[in-house]
Amino acid sequence: MKWGTTQDLFCTTYKPYIRPAIEYGSELLVTASETVQNKIETVQNNALRIITGGALSTPIQVMQLQANIEPLTFRRKMGALKLIERLMRHGDF
């Protein structure tokens, strides 16, 4: 009986447990410098290499597609937009 591939297991662990810790408060980092944002991306890129088994020369976009994991930059911008929308609906913004 096959319980799933190692990549599936790593993705199942990464998405609900590790990524939320990396993304906590990330909406505020939209205005941070590119250097700070790149440091956070590096953490996810290292996780992608573990998940996919990719070498250092493997393009990040390929690993993101293979693991079905969005770039943190995209998720950060979407989170900021959702936060702004919630604040505008609140009425006191």
Side-chain angles (χ1 to χ4, degrees):
M1 174 182 258
K2 188 174 180 183
W3 289 91
T5 63
T6 304
Q7 182 173 334
D8 290 341
L9 177 63
F10 285 146
C11 280
T12 302
T13 304
Y14 174 76
K15 287 180 180 179
Y17 297 109
I18 299 169
R19 186 168 62 186
I22 295 170
E23 290 184 323
Y24 182 77
S26 67
E27 295 87 0
L28 304 175
L29 293 175
V30 171
T31 59
S33 70
E34 191 172 326
T35 305
V36 170
Q37 291 185 26
N38 286 340
K39 287 181 182 180
I40 296 168
E41 291 290 337
T42 301
V43 174
Q44 176 165 291
N45 295 345
N46 290 334
L48 284 168
R49 291 194 195 294
I50 293 168
I51 291 168
T52 62
L56 287 175
S57 60
T58 306
I60 301 300
Q61 292 84 5
V62 171
M63 293 187 294
Q64 289 169 341
L65 287 172
Q66 182 180 348
N68 195 25
I69 294 176
E70 306 89 0
L72 289 177
T73 304
F74 173 76
R75 292 179 56 85
R76 195 168 27 253
K77 289 177 182 176
M78 290 303 295
L81 288 172
K82 289 177 184 177
L83 177 62
I84 290 170
E85 183 181 357
R86 278 189 305 228
L87 290 171
M88 290 179 74
R89 275 196 226 149
H90 184 60
D92 295 336
F93 182 60

